[in-house]
Amino acid sequence: VNMMKQVNKESSEDMVELAHTLSNLTGAAVLELGPGQGFATQALLKFHPQSITAVELSPLFRKILARESTTKAAIDSKILTIVEDDAVSLPLSNNSIDIVLGMNVVYFLHPLETYLKEIQRVLKPGGYLIFGTKQGGAKLGTADTFVNTDNNVILASMVAVGFVDCEIGAARLLTNPLTPPMYVPVVGRKEIDTTTTTTTTTTTTLKKTY
């Protein structure tokens, strides 16, 4: 818990700001993968989304989310729903989510393409997926747990399952020397016209406003 406070708070909040530049969060249906203590969740609530579905496997983090005043109120008001099951099978309808985001989560999604297909299923056409990644730290973990630590491989998997406009963004919250809040977003979008096979990919720097 203490480690998450040091490495995830600022980056999670910034990821929400990034998400808002891509897809207006006000009134949106949001899927959050691995909310942890709820740093991104609390930031999301400030934009008044229609709903947040948060997938959290950890009983400790679910307990924290249930007792923290902001997230508890959101749970009580039915805006926030905490899902205990693995995101490989989501209790959500097809084409029901506007945006999916997860900070420091993609490393553990194995096999990644199976999770990506499920995320794609629940996303609305044109909906965005944002993974916040910290490759340097992830590569220090055990390889059997931290499986997806190469953003180029993550990007290729997103393209392979049919995401479009897939890009590896420039590092955000970048400082010299590096500090834990620094992260790199990997972004993709569900194709609006599923009959179109053209995909646009860039593996260097995001050229849009994000």
Side-chain angles (χ1 to χ4, degrees):
V1 171
N2 290 332
M3 182 180 68
M4 291 301 102
K5 288 180 181 178
Q6 295 178 40
V7 303
N8 273 358
K9 187 176 189 299
E10 292 178 61
S11 50
S12 295
E13 292 170 348
D14 185 82
M15 180 180 61
V16 171
E17 295 292 335
L18 170 60
H20 189 58
T21 67
L22 296 176
S23 178
N24 188 351
L25 294 173
T26 303
V30 181
L31 171 62
E32 183 183 2
L33 305 178
Q37 294 158 267
F39 300 129
T41 317
Q42 293 177 60
L44 284 165
L45 288 167
K46 294 178 182 178
F47 288 99
H48 306 289
Q50 179 187 53
S51 65
I52 303 172
T53 302
V55 179
E56 180 53 68
L57 295 180
S58 165
L60 174 58
F61 283 136
R62 292 200 302 269
K63 183 177 180 180
I64 291 172
L65 291 167
R67 73 186 182 199
E68 195 282 326
S69 59
T70 304
T71 47
K72 181 181 184 300
I75 292 170
D76 292 342
S77 64
K78 310 297 184 185
I79 295 173
L80 173 61
T81 301
I82 308 297
V83 175
E84 302 178 11
D85 297 328
D86 197 325
V88 74
S89 180
L90 295 164
L92 296 167
S93 302
N94 295 351
N95 308 317
S96 60
I97 296 294
D98 293 291
I99 190 162
V100 179
L101 47 86
M103 175 59 67
N104 283 335
V105 170
V106 67
Y107 326 124
F108 314 113
L109 305 182
H110 180 69
L112 180 55
E113 290 189 7
T114 300
Y115 285 89
L116 289 172
K117 288 176 183 177
E118 180 67 355
I119 292 169
Q120 189 179 61
R121 178 186 70 81
V122 302
L123 268 175
K124 296 177 182 178
Y128 280 93
L129 166 62
I130 304 173
F131 286 129
T133 68
K134 301 182 181 185
Q135 291 175 295
K139 288 177 180 177
L140 298 177
T142 58
D144 60 337
T145 301
F146 290 80
V147 179
N148 307 304
T149 59
D150 185 329
N151 280 348
N152 289 302
V153 174
I154 294 168
L155 188 81
S157 295
M158 292 167 66
V159 172
V161 303
F163 280 92
V164 298
D165 298 331
C166 299
E167 302 182 74
I168 297 172
R172 295 173 67 90
L173 306 182
L174 183 63
T175 58
N176 186 13
L178 296 179
T179 56
M182 187 278 292
Y183 74 101
V184 173
V186 182
V187 181
R189 186 171 58 85
K190 182 174 178 176
E191 195 170 20
I192 294 176
D193 180 4
T194 57
T195 64
T196 301
T197 58
T198 302
T199 59
T200 302
T201 63
T202 303
T203 58
T204 51
T205 305
L206 293 175
K207 296 180 173 61
K208 302 178 184 176
T209 57
Y210 51 99

